[in-house]
Amino acid sequence: MHSVEHPCASGSPPGHIDHRLHRRLFLQGSLAGAASIASFQGLFTLPAHAETVKQQGKKCILLWLCGAPSQFETWDPKPGRPTGGPFGSIPTSLPGVHISSLMPKCASILDKLTIVRSMKTDQNEHFQAIDLLTRGEPPRPPFTRPLLGSVFAQQFGQLENPVPQFVLLDPCPEGNEFKSFKASNWAGWLGAEYGPVRFGGPYKIDHVSLPEKMSELEHADREALRSFFSKKFVNDHQEAAVKSYNTIFERVKGLMKAAPLFDLNALPESDRLRYGPGTFGLHTLLARHLIENGSTFVMVANGMPWDCHVFNHETHQMLVPELDRIIFELLQDLSDRSMLDDTLVLIMGEFGRTPHLNEARGRDHYPNAWSMAVAGCGFKPGVVYGATDENGIDVAENPVDQRRLFATIYQALGLDPHQTYNLPGFPTFHRVEKNATPIAELLA
Amino acid sequence: MKLELNKTGRYPFPMGLLDFTLQADEKRAFAACMDGIYSLDLPPRDNNRDKPDPHRIGHHQSYTSSIALATESKLFSSAYDGTLQLRILNEPLQSPIEPTLNERIHQFWSWQMVLSADQRYLASVTGQYLAGSEDYSPRVSDEPTVKLLSASDGQVVHQWQLLPSVQCVAIDPQSKWVAAANLMGDIAVYEIESGKEVALWRTGSFTSWGIIKSHCYIGGIFAITFSPDSESIYVAGMGDMRDPMAGNGKQLWQRFTWRKTPPEKIQESHPDDTGEGLMEALAFHPTGKYFAMGGRLRGGNWNVGFFDATTGRIIGQAKTGMRVTTIRFSSDGQIVYLGGTQGQPGIKDGKFPNFGYLERFNITENNEA
Amino acid sequence: MVKATGSILSRGGLWQGAFTAFIFTGPIFTGPIFTGPIVIGPIVTALTFSVLIFIGLNQTCTAQSEENTILNRWENAIRPILSKQCISCHNELKRSGQLSLETIRGLLGSTLSGSVVDGKNSAESLILKVILPNAESHMPPDGQLSDGDIESLKKFIGELVTDPGYQAWKNETEQSSSKAPQNATLDNYPAALPPQLVIDFAVSNKLAEKGLTAGAKTDDSQFARRIYLDFLGRTPTSAELRLFLESLESNKRETLIDSLLNSPEHAVHLSELLHALLIGRKDANGFVQSEKAGWFSYLRNAIEKDRPWNEVAAEILLARPADESRNGAVWYLYSRKNNHQEIAEAVSRDFFGVRIDCAQCHDHPLANEILQRHYWGLTAFFNRSTNTETSKGFRLKESAIGGFAEFANIRGSSAPNELVFLGTEPIPETRPAKDVKEEDRDDLYNDQGEGEPRVPKFSRRQQFVEKVLTNHPLVSQAMVNRIWGHMLGRGLIHPIDAMDSFHPASHPELLHWLSRDFERRGYSIRHLLRSIALSQTYQLASSASQTQDPSLFSYALAKPLTAESFHRSIGTALELKNPDAFYALENRLLFSRIFPDVLAEESLANVSQGLMLSNSPLIQRFVSASESQLLQRLSAETDTAQASTQLFLALLHRKPDNEELQKCLTYLSNTSRSREKLLEDLTWALITSPEFRFNH
């Protein structure tokens, strides 16, 4: 169950055509149109990309602030304004730039971060917004665009590496819209081998030890046999369910080897004290540990605690300082390990929160003007891009939608944002559609 | 007995009203609002028409959360910037009035501040909710979270540690005890004279750990009051639910006899009388025969309910369309004032519309069977 | 032929929005599927009928659009007033109080407070009352229409209700709001037609529209495996398969279908499926409680006796079992532990095929017909009920009073929770006045005798069953869609619990026809299963040389086995010596935890499944010669080709091809390991292969 102000673009003046209907027709149209197209996801077994050079070494940690954090209580405070809320702002290591008083640690290292204050997207509902901001493009059924993490795993990952390339750390089994999203097809047309392994909370890696009296060699032989006998059936059946079922076995050996990596207790207590005690912090530490040891993309979430329709300030007072500390420690650690140049740290949610406070002491959804932050690989540190008006109601300069954001991210990683996916039988898809250009000011 | 309420006044304020106090003659009200401290000249009781404008007489750096009037001329206010201010009211009232006292008493918010009945003490509570464990139970505070100050000089008389965030505080009518309650449903009672903690217990009925979306703690107790004889403590707040983001609150109050060891719950609101909503205010009628609980309505029939002090059953209700933050009865018990806030509206023609309100109601008692 | 409901709001065509237009896309079918005259006739009639409607409506539309004085006045005089004072809350998106004042249609529509325009006595219209200066529930809350504006509005409404277009519109909306959807083609099929023919017709029809054809049919072996899995939840034994393959009966598939449907295993399998959908698999404790409550035996009995589904549904939702043998029916509601909202969400999804979770806080953002009042209305039907234990077993006692509340949307405006659900009018009920305390009196109840809780004379649960559930079109449709999804791997509306306006059916007329047929045949699930199984569509082969849209059903979809089916199929194939140990509760729970999907929208595997199959002690123990008679037997077989072939036949119901046989022989020729161990590996490889894992 979710809460939604408007089903689509907010702020439409009276007299406009019913947006709800418009979008429904659009979606119906694409379903009806696509039905006559011959091919479907999971058709191909090998990713067919023009780029043959595998970029080495790039990694990413996505701190996925699901539910959507309030930009007023983080990167774009409006102290003293009627929309500002009760928290003030503090100066940062960037002259003239202030962020929320709840983030003193990030304030001291703002010269290492890149902030975008002018995010402007059009999805107001959780599931659709999460989908939009993690894949970069609205859905076009029946084709499923892969998540950024899957693209990463496919471009930079090594499938032979026993450590899972794409990991989702999220202990929350519930989460309504986010739960539905977690059950959807993340790897899309890239294929199930680029989907995530999930860990955290009840999501443990069970059955990771070799069966009794079986050697590793025997285990491998047996798997090779299974793989052999599966080939024909997999080739003859196109359902994604079939393909994904076959693929998981390729991961088994790797996960068995990599399982100890997921043991938080094996990490030094001093590390756990710096990031913890909360689960989100501990998982961020785990994310750092995983990418140090071979993972390519780790997405860290903890349900949707940022969705503060109720008690926004009462909950953000706890969530933001934790986030502040985690970002500080993570960037410190990555820098100490000389990993920051090759590691992208993305800090964002699926939209922002309303300037006005509702009756339940909360802020509601707001895709109209919101903030996100980045650090590392390819981004220019110490940049604050875009601005909102004095009350934070609208973007005042340099609006950024998810296309331009993704274009910038791909560019920062050294990938051509407009590269096409060469998928047999599919319409032409690009990494980023509509020729959206990367934002030069954000790139190093 | 049944109560009937009739609204006789509704006075808007630019921003949400979190607390208010009245002069004894009810000719003037002082409001603690999100954007400062306001004075409002109240029309006489029989005047339903006039809507006087409030005047801002001061402000804090953040939401003014509590306000109290001592000896009719000493106006105390506390705020989310952790400060306590005192303004001496001289006629005619200035706008603004410079505070004679402006002291930082907490590092974090003053969630609530109250003046004792004998006007000798102020109690203020603080505490920032911070992650204290893997499951996000609160971390112990760096500063004392309950403070008792002298109303004459603002000096600390006693201070105590209660787990953050301590969200409400009360001093009993005899000015002998301080009670405070927090996010986790802990209730503590302290003796003013000795400074000792004399009771501490927890009720789980007001706190949520968001199983569905938010694996952390939300809610807790937001209103606390002693009974007229000081023997009972009443608490109200959010209510325990699986998905605090969605199902928003329970119209629940609980009454404890705090002198027992351990303190015992002796009464609570009846499920037939109550619906859903976030409750933030409790107040006893001067006669002690009934009390009011109010807040925000989420699902049900009222956002302010009046309960018989003996039976605990509902005897009157009002649905005011706003989130009620404070309830005060007139000293003769014939009027009840409600302070509160609606959802903040969007900007309109370049201005932010009013969304704080002070409302006034006549109380009529029907003494049928 | 496609029917489109014109609901696009266009400023010029004020009445067009309300009409239904029939648009032709060409001939209905490219070639006769049926040559009998019975069938052609009604279709032709339907065609003609539709043409006339189309022409008739078109003329009406044209006539209306020339008459635009009312429109001009709306545009120039009324709309600006409403835009200024009312639209910020009463717009198409926000719809405060369910009222939109952006269009004339909105003005005339029904709202939370009823219609704001009184067609018979326009001066008494509600909208005119609330805008008066001293009105109760004054509108707008913080403003006031000028006297001139009020006059204009009054005059306009007066003219509106006397306009001829208004009456026509009123008739049209009254017709279209009736429960049954309008269908022109399949609706005219004789009711006596066997459903399997209708299915094949509808499917091939749609394929033909797209210039496509269905794929090949299954061979007997494939068919047998499929039908055993769908009906019994396990693969056939070698003996069963051999019997079927060797039979010379000309309609042996039909015979097999019938014998399986009558088998007790079928009742077990289908009841497990229903249980997973209706209550969901829980932990060991939950399982034991369900068992004790008689829930499983209740479901099994219902399937065995092919009890009408509408009767079973009514029994479950009324939860007042006629005798102790039906006690299990109570468990559906009882297991929800008085969580009335959870009950509402479950009932809507399980019996009506519609998810209403989104409508708790506001009207559904994507499916317009699902409103907040439906969510709270459905909750209200059950919110007087509480669990109780009696000498007769679990019961739900019901109060005669209480359960009145208002629900607020996220914007804070609230409305009373009337007894209403999708597709019905609110059930009249006296609401107590605001301050009145209801008194519970004995005379409000009827006693039920020893051990049974008394029943209110006005029982909300009973009202629900009688006035909402009974004959509700979604009830039959939900079960039809679900059974279709089970058999074909994909619902006609997919996902199966999203039968709302945002999810169109792939074959809407077929779904409608099958639902009516289901009703006509006494809601018989067995008849439905049988019919689908007999269709050619169901019996299509699965492998496809080119992929097509799965919603066209031109080939059979590969369906992952449910946890129970997978577990049972492994057990069957292995010929276990100790089946009890294999099927112990903890092992069943392990399977259901690792393979949780049941009729999922998209069933994607995760690596924990691979780990479990590869490393769990359970699999290791039973895929062994010590536990499996098959393996014991084959281990003694010296002829490795024979052993390999037997293994394939036992596990995959086919012989290995040359390549596969070669692979087996090579593997088995390894002398450093025992024949037993090598065969275990082979067995493992085959039962964990997708060919085994999926029904295809």
Side-chain angles (χ1 to χ4, degrees):
Chain A
M1 187 243 76
H2 56 276
S3 306
V4 145
E5 291 278 332
H6 309 289
C8 59
S10 57
S12 30
H16 263 234
I17 282 175
D18 187 344
H19 282 256
R20 228 178 351 203
L21 181 64
H22 171 77
R23 209 239 253 119
R24 174 163 34 130
L25 286 180
F26 163 69
L27 277 168
Q28 279 185 349
S30 65
L31 268 167
S36 58
I37 292 174
S39 312
F40 279 81
Q41 68 213 35
L43 168 64
F44 49 95
T45 48
L46 291 172
H49 286 252
E51 239 165 297
T52 49
V53 177
K54 269 232 188 286
Q55 309 266 348
Q56 290 300 321
K58 298 278 197 293
K59 301 176 185 295
C60 179
I61 294 179
L62 168 60
L63 296 181
W64 180 244
L65 310 178
C66 200
S70 162
Q71 63 280 19
F72 296 92
E73 275 75 51
T74 52
W75 308 112
D76 195 10
K78 304 286 179 188
R81 301 304 305 159
T83 51
F87 298 107
S89 66
I90 47 174
T92 67
S93 58
L94 287 181
V97 177
H98 289 65
I99 61 175
S100 170
S101 60
L102 291 170
M103 307 189 84
K105 293 192 144 148
C106 282
S108 68
I109 55 158
L110 212 68
D111 52 306
K112 305 216 169 34
L113 284 157
T114 315
I115 315 287
V116 177
R117 282 180 169 163
S118 51
M119 290 302 297
K120 192 178 181 68
T121 50
D122 62 5
Q123 278 304 341
N124 182 286
E125 181 272 317
H126 285 299
F127 185 98
Q128 321 228 11
I130 298 170
D131 197 76
L132 186 68
L133 268 305
T134 52
R135 300 184 203 260
E137 193 61 36
R140 193 183 150 176
F143 312 104
T144 306
R145 181 176 290 266
L147 237 83
L148 181 64
S150 296
V151 175
F152 233 97
Q154 193 266 330
Q155 284 298 306
F156 304 112
Q158 295 115 42
L159 280 182
E160 328 77 61
N161 190 329
V163 180
Q165 295 301 288
F166 179 10
V167 181
L168 166 66
L169 297 175
D170 180 352
C172 183
E174 296 295 330
N176 295 336
E177 304 88 340
F178 192 30
K179 178 182 180 183
S180 304
F181 184 75
K182 286 179 256 185
S184 71
N185 184 350
W186 283 27
W189 62 60
L190 286 182
E193 59 267 37
Y194 298 113
V197 167
R198 183 168 180 186
F199 184 80
Y203 301 93
K204 303 201 186 319
I205 309 191
D206 260 331
H207 304 126
V208 284
S209 330
L210 268 177
E212 252 178 58
K213 302 190 199 126
M214 187 180 279
S215 72
E216 253 186 61
L217 188 59
E218 287 161 2
H219 199 265
D221 278 350
R222 194 179 66 165
E223 167 51 33
L225 204 55
R226 189 210 63 82
S227 175
F228 176 86
F229 287 126
S230 303
K231 273 210 194 84
K232 189 167 79 169
F233 188 85
V234 169
N235 274 334
D236 282 349
H237 292 80
Q238 309 310 328
E239 288 87 350
V242 172
K243 303 258 185 256
S244 77
Y245 176 69
N246 195 42
T247 311
I248 53 175
F249 286 93
E250 294 163 21
R251 304 258 204 109
V252 163
K253 188 168 110 186
L255 257 185
M256 287 165 69
K257 267 224 175 71
L261 271 181
F262 289 81
D263 183 5
L264 262 169
N265 291 320
L267 290 167
E269 196 188 341
S270 57
D271 276 2
R272 283 181 278 131
L273 284 173
R274 282 190 299 126
Y275 285 80
T279 309
F280 188 62
L282 292 175
H283 281 155
T284 307
L285 168 62
L286 186 57
R288 186 211 79 194
H289 186 59
L290 286 169
I291 63 163
E292 271 181 89
N293 284 282
S295 280
T296 310
F297 189 103
V298 184
M299 180 167 167
V300 189
N302 186 18
M304 307 167 70
W306 298 92
D307 191 26
C308 300
H309 292 282
V310 174
F311 287 131
N312 182 70
H313 304 126
E314 291 76 1
T315 309
H316 271 62
Q317 70 181 235
M318 182 278 290
L319 290 173
V320 179
E322 182 192 37
L323 179 68
D324 180 50
R325 181 162 44 86
I326 288 167
I327 296 173
F328 181 85
E329 297 296 337
L330 179 64
L331 293 186
Q332 183 98 302
D333 284 359
L334 290 174
S335 172
D336 287 349
R337 289 158 173 75
S338 304
M339 287 170 67
L340 204 48
D341 283 341
D342 288 324
T343 307
L344 183 63
V345 179
L346 287 168
I347 306 153
M348 66 185 201
E350 63 267 38
F351 34 67
R353 304 208 79 80
T354 50
H356 44 271
L357 206 64
N358 68 24
E359 213 184 71
R361 301 164 78 140
R363 294 190 192 267
D364 300 317
H365 301 173
Y366 207 66
N368 198 39
W370 53 284
S371 303
M372 57 87 64
V374 200
C377 185
F379 276 80
K380 189 187 286 183
V383 169
V384 176
Y385 184 78
T388 52
D389 59 37
E390 64 170 353
N391 293 312
I393 292 176
D394 232 322
V395 167
E397 44 183 72
N398 297 330
V400 180
D401 66 3
Q402 77 285 348
R403 286 198 185 102
R404 295 208 73 200
L405 176 66
F406 270 63
T408 314
I409 290 173
Y410 286 128
Q411 186 80 10
L413 296 168
L415 298 176
D416 177 0
H418 305 117
Q419 186 69 54
T420 53
Y421 288 98
N422 261 343
L423 308 166
F426 277 41
T428 305
F429 287 118
H430 306 86
R431 279 213 182 94
V432 177
E433 304 293 348
K434 305 243 196 281
N435 285 313
T437 51
I439 302 167
E441 294 93 313
L442 293 177
L443 295 167
Chain B
M1 169 170 61
K2 286 255 182 286
L3 299 179
E4 204 183 285
L5 270 72
N6 292 301
K7 183 158 23 179
T8 60
R10 179 170 152 98
Y11 314 106
F13 289 76
M15 291 190 72
L17 192 154
L18 302 179
D19 192 11
F20 69 92
T21 187
L22 301 154
Q23 281 176 195
D25 61 9
E26 288 172 49
K27 287 208 175 130
R28 199 182 273 146
F30 297 96
C33 294
M34 289 174 181
D35 62 338
I37 302 150
Y38 285 82
S39 87
L40 176 78
D41 292 324
L42 286 169
R45 285 185 182 185
D46 53 8
N47 179 336
N48 295 3
R49 297 171 322 274
D50 290 344
K51 280 191 200 288
D53 284 327
H55 298 288
R56 204 161 93 136
I57 57 172
H59 78 282
H60 291 255
Q61 293 302 319
S62 183
Y63 296 176
T64 313
S65 53
S66 299
I67 194 159
L69 188 60
T71 68
E72 293 301 291
S73 64
K74 289 169 73 171
L75 189 66
F76 290 99
S77 61
S78 71
Y80 281 3
D81 61 358
T83 60
L84 172 72
Q85 290 177 358
L86 167 62
R87 283 174 174 75
I88 306 296
L89 306 174
N90 292 313
E91 298 298 339
L93 282 187
Q94 305 288 310
S95 185
I97 303 171
E98 282 309 304
T100 53
L101 182 72
N102 188 353
E103 203 186 300
R104 190 89 193 271
I105 56 171
H106 304 304
Q107 287 165 27
F108 192 64
W109 299 357
S110 163
W111 287 79
Q112 188 179 18
M113 176 271 292
V114 291
L115 175 71
S116 61
D118 65 4
Q119 306 199 344
R120 288 169 60 203
Y121 301 105
L122 296 162
S124 173
V125 289
T126 186
Q128 182 173 6
Y129 173 32
L130 291 170
S133 68
E134 214 171 311
D135 76 343
Y136 294 92
S137 28
R139 203 182 79 188
V140 171
S141 169
D142 291 335
E143 56 168 339
T145 50
V146 185
K147 277 193 172 169
L148 187 70
L149 310 165
S150 154
S152 51
D153 59 12
Q155 292 303 302
V156 174
V157 174
H158 295 302
Q159 51 194 26
W160 301 285
Q161 270 282 21
L162 182 60
L163 198 64
S165 42
V166 185
Q167 301 170 167
C168 54
V169 66
I171 301 180
D172 80 298
Q174 276 74 55
S175 304
K176 287 169 68 176
W177 316 98
V178 176
N182 70 6
L183 164 69
M184 303 300 280
D186 296 324
I187 308 167
V189 183
Y190 310 98
E191 186 178 30
I192 291 182
E193 192 174 324
S194 63
K196 289 219 291 259
E197 176 191 287
V198 294
L200 176 66
W201 72 103
R202 177 176 285 190
T203 165
S205 308
F206 298 98
T207 308
S208 308
W209 192 80
I211 291 172
I212 301 295
K213 280 186 172 177
S214 48
H215 280 190
C216 57
Y217 289 94
I218 301 181
I221 299 175
F222 285 94
I224 187 167
T225 187
F226 282 87
S227 57
D229 66 1
S230 304
E231 295 302 307
S232 300
I233 282 179
Y234 290 76
V235 290
M238 174 151 175
D240 134 55
M241 45 208 55
R242 290 181 87 222
D243 190 7
M245 309 286 197
N248 186 11
K250 290 187 177 153
Q251 293 177 331
L252 169 72
W253 55 262
Q254 288 183 337
R255 172 185 177 194
F256 294 87
T257 159
W258 60 271
R259 295 245 206 202
K260 282 185 118 175
T261 312
E264 205 178 278
K265 179 176 73 172
I266 50 177
Q267 215 177 29
E268 70 179 15
S269 48
H270 197 280
D272 285 350
D273 295 342
T274 57
E276 295 176 308
L278 173 65
M279 297 291 103
E280 295 183 58
L282 281 169
F284 253 92
H285 190 258
T287 60
K289 289 199 290 201
Y290 58 87
F291 65 92
M293 174 173 73
R296 177 200 172 218
L297 170 66
R298 172 66 171 70
N301 304 317
W302 51 265
N303 67 328
V304 185
F306 297 81
F307 300 86
D308 184 300
T310 316
T311 65
R313 299 306 302 263
I314 198 166
I315 55 172
Q317 57 197 24
K319 197 162 111 177
T320 69
M322 68 176 182
R323 164 195 155 205
V324 167
T325 54
T326 306
I327 302 171
R328 294 207 193 283
F329 290 92
S330 63
S331 37
D332 64 2
Q334 290 177 7
I335 303 277
V336 65
Y337 293 85
L338 306 176
T341 160
Q342 288 189 313
Q344 185 177 11
I347 200 169
K348 212 163 158 183
D349 301 324
K351 283 203 307 246
F352 285 94
N354 296 333
F355 66 101
Y357 293 93
L358 178 65
E359 293 185 341
R360 184 166 70 181
F361 289 77
N362 277 341
I363 307 171
T364 316
E365 294 182 21
N366 296 323
N367 285 305
E368 308 146 354
Chain C
M1 188 183 79
V2 169
K3 186 194 82 169
T5 308
S7 54
I8 297 170
L9 306 167
S10 58
R11 299 175 79 168
L14 119 85
W15 298 115
Q16 283 164 11
F19 289 139
T20 309
F22 289 84
I23 302 156
F24 285 92
T25 57
I28 294 178
F29 47 92
T30 51
I33 307 296
F34 313 101
T35 49
I38 309 163
V39 175
I40 304 276
I43 294 176
V44 168
T45 314
L47 275 174
T48 322
F49 176 69
S50 311
V51 168
L52 289 174
I53 296 284
F54 177 72
I55 294 169
L57 287 179
N58 209 18
Q59 282 185 334
T60 326
C61 286
T62 323
Q64 287 308 316
S65 62
E66 281 164 1
E67 175 66 30
N68 62 7
T69 326
I70 289 256
L71 278 176
N72 279 341
R73 258 204 294 284
W74 167 262
E75 279 306 319
N76 300 328
I78 304 303
R79 215 175 196 287
I81 298 172
L82 298 176
S83 288
K84 200 155 153 233
Q85 301 268 22
C86 317
I87 297 289
S88 55
C89 293
H90 295 294
N91 57 60
E92 281 292 316
L93 285 176
K94 223 166 179 168
R95 297 188 141 257
S96 293
Q98 314 285 331
L99 170 65
S100 162
L101 289 173
E102 284 197 59
T103 62
I104 296 186
R105 187 178 71 145
L107 172 65
L108 293 173
S110 118
T111 79
L112 262 188
S113 316
S115 183
V116 302
V117 167
D118 188 332
K120 300 205 175 66
N121 197 345
S122 70
E124 292 296 310
S125 296
L126 181 61
I127 189 174
L128 295 173
K129 289 193 178 147
V130 298
I131 58 178
L132 295 174
N134 286 315
E136 221 181 85
S137 315
H138 181 267
M139 281 290 144
D142 276 314
Q144 172 64 53
L145 268 69
S146 69
D147 290 340
D149 285 346
I150 296 177
E151 259 317 296
S152 295
L153 192 56
K154 187 167 171 192
K155 192 157 164 245
F156 176 79
I157 290 179
E159 285 167 358
L160 185 63
V161 303
T162 51
D163 188 285
Y166 171 75
Q167 203 48 49
W169 170 87
K170 219 160 177 302
N171 292 337
E172 171 63 32
T173 35
E174 255 145 46
Q175 274 175 31
S176 67
S177 68
S178 64
K179 282 186 193 177
Q182 291 155 39
N183 288 276
T185 41
L186 294 185
D187 239 2
N188 295 296
Y189 275 33
L193 257 189
Q196 51 270 32
L197 294 185
V198 177
I199 290 171
D200 291 334
F201 169 71
V203 169
S204 56
N205 208 27
K206 186 158 180 190
L207 283 172
E209 267 174 34
K210 300 190 180 295
L212 301 167
T213 47
K217 243 180 108 160
T218 45
D219 63 35
D220 276 344
S221 187
Q222 289 170 333
F223 173 78
R225 183 177 192 268
R226 183 184 301 170
I227 199 74
Y228 264 85
L229 279 170
D230 281 339
F231 282 178
L232 299 193
R234 65 162 172 86
T235 44
T237 63
S238 302
E240 286 168 337
L241 181 61
R242 199 172 37 248
L243 209 65
F244 177 71
L245 291 175
E246 288 168 2
S247 162
L248 296 168
E249 258 190 280
S250 58
N251 61 339
K252 62 178 178 181
R253 290 194 182 190
E254 189 172 342
T255 309
L256 180 60
I257 287 168
D258 285 324
S259 83
L260 294 182
L261 281 175
N262 285 297
S263 138
E265 279 187 80
H266 169 67
V268 171
H269 171 55
L270 208 61
S271 63
E272 272 171 359
L273 189 70
L274 281 178
H275 166 68
L277 292 167
L278 295 179
I279 288 193
R281 304 168 181 119
K282 310 242 184 268
D283 57 15
N285 197 28
F287 182 89
V288 165
Q289 285 181 344
S290 302
E291 176 76 53
K292 265 168 74 179
W295 168 245
F296 295 121
S297 57
Y298 175 78
L299 287 177
R300 274 199 302 272
N301 177 271
I303 306 294
E304 248 168 46
K305 305 240 164 30
D306 192 29
R307 290 191 59 205
W309 170 245
N310 57 336
E311 278 179 27
V312 174
E315 212 164 71
I316 289 175
L317 294 177
L318 184 63
R320 293 193 173 115
D323 58 71
E324 279 182 56
S325 72
R326 313 247 170 122
N327 267 359
V330 180
W331 186 244
Y332 178 82
L333 290 177
Y334 195 92
S335 62
R336 261 83 192 193
K337 301 190 188 160
N338 299 325
N339 185 333
H340 302 120
Q341 280 177 243
E342 201 187 302
I343 288 176
E345 289 170 17
V347 169
S348 177
R349 177 193 68 225
D350 297 337
F351 294 90
F352 297 84
V354 179
R355 287 198 152 274
I356 53 168
D357 311 21
C358 289
Q360 188 189 153
C361 298
H362 49 71
D363 295 341
H364 199 292
L366 302 170
N368 290 353
E369 76 282 11
I370 302 176
L371 303 174
Q372 212 187 353
R373 60 198 283 254
H374 296 138
Y375 183 97
W376 294 105
L378 185 56
T379 309
F381 279 110
F382 293 94
N383 69 1
R384 283 181 172 175
S385 302
T386 32
N387 289 354
T388 183
E389 271 188 69
T390 70
S391 53
K392 296 268 179 80
F394 294 134
R395 292 289 184 272
L396 266 85
K397 64 179 175 176
E398 187 177 356
S399 164
I401 59 166
F404 294 105
E406 302 216 342
F407 58 90
N409 62 18
I410 46 171
R411 233 156 276 106
S413 46
S414 58
N417 63 341
E418 295 185 298
L419 294 176
V420 66
F421 188 55
L422 279 174
T424 63
E425 289 303 308
I427 293 182
E429 195 190 27
T430 352
R431 273 190 108 78
K434 225 167 45 169
D435 300 326
V436 165
K437 187 123 211 300
E438 285 184 286
E439 266 178 59
D440 203 6
R441 303 184 319 265
D442 286 343
D443 67 298
L444 294 171
Y445 298 84
N446 286 324
D447 277 324
Q448 295 301 110
E450 186 67 45
E452 298 285 352
R454 57 189 186 164
V455 175
K457 290 182 179 164
F458 179 86
S459 155
R460 282 185 174 183
R461 272 197 342 257
Q462 193 168 346
Q463 290 292 314
F464 178 75
V465 166
E466 285 173 10
K467 304 270 172 52
V468 179
L469 184 75
T470 303
N471 295 327
H472 197 295
L474 285 180
V475 172
S476 53
Q477 188 173 296
M479 184 50 86
V480 167
N481 196 41
R482 176 181 290 143
I483 296 294
W484 179 278
H486 167 64
M487 297 290 278
L488 276 297
R490 190 201 153 86
L492 287 168
I493 293 178
H494 200 68
I496 58 162
D497 57 5
M499 298 195 328
D500 57 43
S501 57
F502 193 65
H503 297 89
S506 58
H507 301 75
E509 292 110 339
L510 175 62
L511 181 58
H512 179 66
W513 193 96
L514 284 175
S515 306
R516 300 292 83 74
D517 182 68
F518 185 61
E519 289 164 7
R520 280 194 292 264
R521 296 295 296 253
Y523 289 76
S524 160
I525 295 178
R526 187 167 300 174
H527 162 76
L528 179 61
L529 284 165
R530 183 175 192 277
S531 308
I532 295 175
L534 286 170
S535 72
Q536 309 213 8
T537 304
Y538 174 77
Q539 296 187 20
L540 292 170
S542 70
S543 50
S545 49
Q546 59 168 85
T547 50
Q548 287 175 4
D549 183 346
S551 74
L552 293 175
F553 301 108
S554 60
Y555 63 98
L557 296 172
K559 308 176 318 221
L561 302 186
T562 60
E564 292 86 357
S565 298
F566 192 25
H567 192 194
R568 213 178 279 126
S569 299
I570 295 174
T572 306
L574 290 174
E575 293 173 44
L576 294 170
K577 298 181 189 174
N578 283 310
D580 286 346
F582 186 65
Y583 295 116
L585 181 60
E586 58 171 348
N587 295 330
R588 278 151 56 200
L589 291 174
L590 175 64
F591 262 85
S592 59
R593 182 166 62 83
I594 299 285
F595 302 95
D597 286 346
V598 181
L599 301 183
E601 179 173 357
E602 194 167 19
S603 196
L604 297 173
N606 67 69
V607 72
S608 66
Q609 295 170 350
L611 284 168
M612 178 268 192
L613 290 171
S614 302
N615 300 331
S616 70
L618 174 65
I619 301 291
Q620 288 313 116
R621 175 180 161 192
F622 287 94
V623 179
S624 66
S626 54
E627 292 284 353
S628 155
Q629 292 178 51
L630 172 73
L631 275 170
Q632 182 173 32
R633 202 164 59 239
L634 295 182
S635 301
E637 174 61 67
T638 44
D639 182 344
T640 51
Q642 192 45 252
S644 307
T645 306
Q646 291 303 317
L647 194 61
F648 263 75
L649 283 170
L651 300 178
L652 300 179
H653 307 300
R654 64 173 176 88
K655 293 195 172 151
D657 64 27
N658 285 332
E659 223 190 317
E660 290 168 332
L661 186 59
Q662 228 15 75
K663 185 75 170 181
C664 291
L665 295 178
T666 314
Y667 199 82
L668 291 173
S669 67
N670 181 351
T671 46
S672 62
R673 293 177 68 204
S674 72
R675 172 63 52 82
E676 214 175 87
K677 284 270 172 260
L678 295 169
L679 274 170
E680 281 173 15
D681 285 356
L682 265 176
T683 306
W684 183 88
L686 293 180
I687 61 173
T688 56
S689 73
E691 193 172 344
F692 190 96
R693 167 93 184 92
F694 283 80
N695 187 347
H696 50 89

